[in-house]
Amino acid sequence: MRPANRSLYSAIGWLLAAIVIAIVGRRLAADLVQLRAQPLPNAPTWGLVALSGAVFLCGHAVLVHTWRSMLQCWDARLPFWSAARVWSVSNLARYLPGKIWNIGAMGAMSRELGVSPVAASGSAILSTLVNVLAGLVVALVSGRALLERSAPGQSAVAVLIVGVAARGLVAAPFLLPRLAPVVGRLAGRPMGTTLPP
């Protein structure tokens, strides 16, 4: 990449970062006003607060590792901390109006690390699909009793949906690598189909 292009990308990155910080700051200020209006316990249980933070970090690490595993289907590899930086920073762009900027930011940041933007964005979309399928299964299994109370006789439909979603989730590791050649043909560049070990 030529120095002029690198400077332009860097300037655009700093501009986007400033916009995201301004939007997130404004939203946090509004949320803080609402929080102050709510009654809070005088002595929060800091152990539970720390535990919730640890659970969040573990969940975030799982998302990053899932994305790295998907990247390997395209023969692209990133060290964990580099992938965590790309994933975390690009996900801040979801606070920008339009809701699609995080995919573009992920592609741009990945290109700087030598990873194809198509592979980075495609693997992020596919891993999101797996997450949605898993969430659907969990939500339908845990909400079946509530569904039966609110709409009697409809639990059979929920069981059917859970069965289809569960099969889709189980089949995802086998189907997703086979989608790589299709995406490669659409993108006009070959992509690997090897599953990560």
Side-chain angles (χ1 to χ4, degrees), residues 5 44 61 65 81 88 92 97-99 113 118 143 146-147 153 162 176:
N5 289 342
H65 186 67
W81 292 111
S88 302
L92 288 175
K99 305 291 185 185
L113 297 172
V118 174
L146 181 61
L147 177 65
V162 167
L176 293 180

Side-chain angles (χ1 to χ4, degrees), residues 132-173:
V132 168
L133 286 173
L136 179 64
V137 170
V138 170
L140 289 175
V141 167
S142 61
R144 182 178 173 197
L146 181 61
L147 177 65
E148 186 60 37
R149 270 185 291 184
S150 62
Q154 297 299 316
S155 62
V157 175
V159 170
L160 177 65
I161 294 172
V162 167
V164 170
R167 286 187 179 166
L169 186 61
V170 169

Side-chain angles (χ1 to χ4, degrees), residues 14 27 29 31 62 64 84 93 96 98 102 113 122 124 133 141 164 166 182 186:
W14 282 107
R27 184 173 291 183
D31 289 346
V62 167
V64 171
L96 293 172
N102 57 326
L113 297 172
L133 286 173
V141 167
V164 170
V182 175
L186 293 174

Side-chain angles (χ1 to χ4, degrees), residues 40-193:
L40 293 174
N42 292 331
T45 308
W46 291 110
L48 291 177
V49 172
L51 179 61
S52 70
V55 169
F56 170 79
L57 288 176
C58 288
H60 192 70
V62 167
L63 291 175
V64 171
H65 186 67
T66 301
W67 179 57
R68 289 180 65 229
S69 297
M70 292 285 184
L71 272 177
Q72 291 180 14
C73 293
W74 276 273
D75 292 329
R77 286 170 175 75
L78 280 177
F80 179 82
W81 292 111
S82 297
R85 181 178 67 85
V86 170
W87 182 269
S88 302
V89 173
S90 63
N91 272 291
L92 288 175
R94 73 176 56 191
Y95 296 105
L96 293 172
K99 305 291 185 185
I100 60 167
W101 298 104
N102 57 326
I103 297 295
M106 180 175 285
M109 292 179 71
S110 298
R111 181 186 308 160
E112 291 181 359
L113 297 172
V115 173
S116 162
V118 174
S121 302
S123 58
I125 292 169
L126 292 176
S127 63
T128 300
L129 175 64
V130 171
N131 292 335
V132 168
L133 286 173
L136 179 64
V137 170
V138 170
L140 289 175
V141 167
S142 61
R144 182 178 173 197
L146 181 61
L147 177 65
E148 186 60 37
R149 270 185 291 184
S150 62
Q154 297 299 316
S155 62
V157 175
V159 170
L160 177 65
I161 294 172
V162 167
V164 170
R167 286 187 179 166
L169 186 61
V170 169
F174 305 102
L175 294 177
L176 293 180
R178 286 155 183 80
L179 289 176
V182 175
V183 175
R185 282 194 296 274
L186 293 174
R189 69 185 290 167
M191 295 184 179
T193 58

